[in-house]
Amino acid sequence: MTTALTAAVPNLKIRTTHSGDFHDRFWIADRTRGVILGTSLNKIGSKIFFIDRPTSSDVTAVLNEIELLLD
């Protein structure tokens, strides 16, 4: 999937972080906006799932948790 995204947007920077602490997928842009996807990309269309737009404070909280995991 990242290959298709970077082919569509050549200057796109993608950073993937895996953790057992998170189940859903958080896509965060410019450290202030994002979406939460309740399934993996390869499962889209096979089950009911949600997609939502988190508040900026939720995005900050997720980024803070990720920074703790990376330390």
Side-chain angles (χ1 to χ4, degrees):
M1 180 54 119
T2 57
T3 303
L5 290 171
T6 53
V9 184
N11 295 325
L12 183 67
K13 293 180 184 176
I14 298 174
R15 181 175 180 185
T16 303
T17 304
H18 297 273
S19 168
D21 295 335
F22 292 98
H23 173 75
D24 299 325
R25 281 72 177 163
F26 295 84
W27 292 35
I28 298 174
D30 68 25
R31 303 187 66 83
T32 60
R33 302 174 294 127
V35 294
I36 302 170
L37 188 62
T39 189
S40 59
L41 292 176
N42 63 346
K43 298 291 184 180
I44 291 176
S46 64
K47 292 186 178 184
I48 296 171
F49 69 94
F50 77 93
I51 186 168
D52 196 8
R53 190 175 290 172
T55 64
S56 60
S57 61
D58 289 338
V59 170
T60 299
V62 169
L63 290 172
N64 288 339
E65 288 298 319
I66 290 171
E67 291 299 326
L68 290 173
L69 291 169
L70 296 176
D71 284 343

